[in-house]
Amino acid sequence: MNFGAVLCAVAGLGLLVAAVHEGRVVHRLRRHGVHTWGLVVDNVRTTDRDGPKWVPVIAFTDRLGYRVEFSPRAQGTGMGLATGRQVEVVYLAQNPQIARVRMWRHVVGPVVFLTFGALVFLGFGVLIAVTS
């Protein structure tokens, strides 16, 4: 078996596991999530292999009256939110740190992106294995 095929298969399976996990979180948020409004209180500069980017920090008050801050898991181009913007937030009552901005691109987008990435890697793994 070709090393490239194995590497692609492992990457694809890893992305697939991440997509299933994120899908389960989204499903729990849709069934049991608490809806509230949050405020983008800051945009923090981070750096990764693609260079610097800005990640929003959103604050909201949970049902117990505690202030909770989180950064969306979905980050990158087109995912930013302006400081001072009010956004709808959905979170799990028993764990308010598991929260998402209630926008398609922040809730469903990561599941779609991870699933697509998994299929691409798995497809290339099969292609490499068949052509070797």
Side-chain angles (χ1 to χ4, degrees):
M1 179 149 253
N2 189 331
F3 179 71
V6 172
L7 191 60
C8 283
V10 169
L13 289 175
L15 287 171
L16 193 59
V17 167
V20 168
H21 176 266
E22 187 66 19
R24 290 182 64 183
V25 168
V26 168
H27 180 70
R28 286 188 349 206
L29 286 170
R30 286 190 175 187
R31 288 190 110 199
H32 308 292
V34 178
H35 297 260
T36 189
W37 288 94
L39 184 68
V40 180
V41 294
D42 198 4
N43 274 287
V44 181
R45 183 180 173 158
T46 62
T47 305
D48 63 6
R49 68 178 185 271
D50 298 328
K53 63 181 174 182
W54 294 93
V55 178
V57 177
I58 299 156
F60 66 93
T61 305
D62 70 5
R63 284 204 274 185
L64 300 175
Y66 294 106
R67 178 185 167 104
V68 178
E69 289 187 0
F70 76 99
S71 292
R73 293 179 54 90
Q75 300 172 0
T77 305
M79 302 302 268
L81 299 166
T83 302
R85 180 177 177 180
Q86 200 171 31
V87 293
E88 192 172 358
V89 173
V90 61
Y91 69 94
L92 293 177
Q94 67 274 19
N95 189 356
Q97 287 297 326
I98 297 180
R100 301 290 187 272
V101 176
R102 193 163 181 261
M103 295 178 179
W104 187 91
R105 64 184 179 180
H106 285 281
V107 177
V108 180
V111 177
V112 171
F113 179 75
L114 287 168
T115 303
F116 179 75
L119 292 175
V120 167
F121 273 102
L122 291 171
F124 275 119
V126 169
L127 184 67
I128 291 169
V130 169
T131 58
S132 297

